[in-house]
Amino acid sequence: LLGSREKTPRTWFNTIVKSWIDCEILSDIPVIYSDGTVTTTTANAIDLIMYLNEKTPSSLVAGKFYFGSSKTALIHSKAATVVAGVSVALSAEDCSAFLTAGKKYFVQFKPDAADPCEGADSGIYTFYAT
C-alpha cells in the first residue's frame, strides 16, 4: 500500500528502492522491513511484529507504529519495542483509545525523528480489529 500513495503508483520493489536511495541521500541508514504480522487484533491487547533488514545492523534505536482508518490518515501512535538488529514490535498493547472492534485499520512503523534510520518507514499493513 505504501507505493499506492504516490501520484504515480509504484510496485513494492520500486517503492523500497526509492526509500533506500532517499535514506542514503539524506545520510540516514536504510532499513527494509519484512514479514509484518498482526497476531492478536483485539483493541486492548494488540500484538504485531516486523523484522529488520538494516544496511548497518543494530542501527535502529526507536520508533512508533502509526495507526489510522486509511493509508493516508495514520494519526494515532504507540511506541514500539525495538530488538536491536532483529525486529520492531508491540506486545499486548492497549490501543482501545483509537481502535474499534469490527473496523479495518492501517498500520505503519516509522523511526523516530533524529534516529539514525529516520525516514526508513515500513510498508503499510492492514488488519481488522476484533
Side-chain angles (χ1 to χ4, degrees):
L1 292 173
L2 183 61
S4 69
R5 292 190 326 180
E6 301 294 329
K7 291 179 184 176
T8 55
R10 299 182 175 121
T11 65
W12 173 88
F13 179 79
N14 288 343
T15 302
I16 295 305
V17 169
K18 182 181 181 322
S19 174
W20 187 281
I21 292 169
D22 288 347
C23 283
E24 290 279 4
I25 290 169
L26 296 172
S27 297
D28 291 328
I29 299 170
V31 179
I32 295 176
Y33 305 87
S34 61
D35 196 24
T37 306
V38 183
T39 53
T40 304
T41 58
T42 57
N44 62 349
I46 193 165
D47 288 325
L48 63 93
I49 190 165
M50 292 178 191
Y51 295 94
L52 304 174
N53 302 287
E54 300 170 82
K55 179 181 179 185
T56 307
S58 302
S59 297
L60 182 66
V61 177
K64 295 177 182 65
F65 284 99
Y66 289 84
F67 297 84
S69 56
S70 79
K71 63 186 176 186
T72 57
L74 303 170
I75 58 173
H76 304 285
S77 66
K78 280 283 184 179
T81 299
V82 177
V83 177
V86 177
S87 65
V88 291
L90 292 179
S91 181
E93 284 291 326
D94 185 356
C95 297
S96 59
F98 53 84
L99 297 180
T100 303
K103 291 191 175 185
K104 182 178 183 177
Y105 289 96
F106 298 78
V107 62
Q108 179 180 39
F109 176 80
K110 296 180 181 187
D112 286 344
D115 187 272
C117 300
E118 179 182 5
D121 301 345
S122 77
I124 300 172
Y125 297 84
T126 63
F127 67 95
Y128 283 89
T130 56

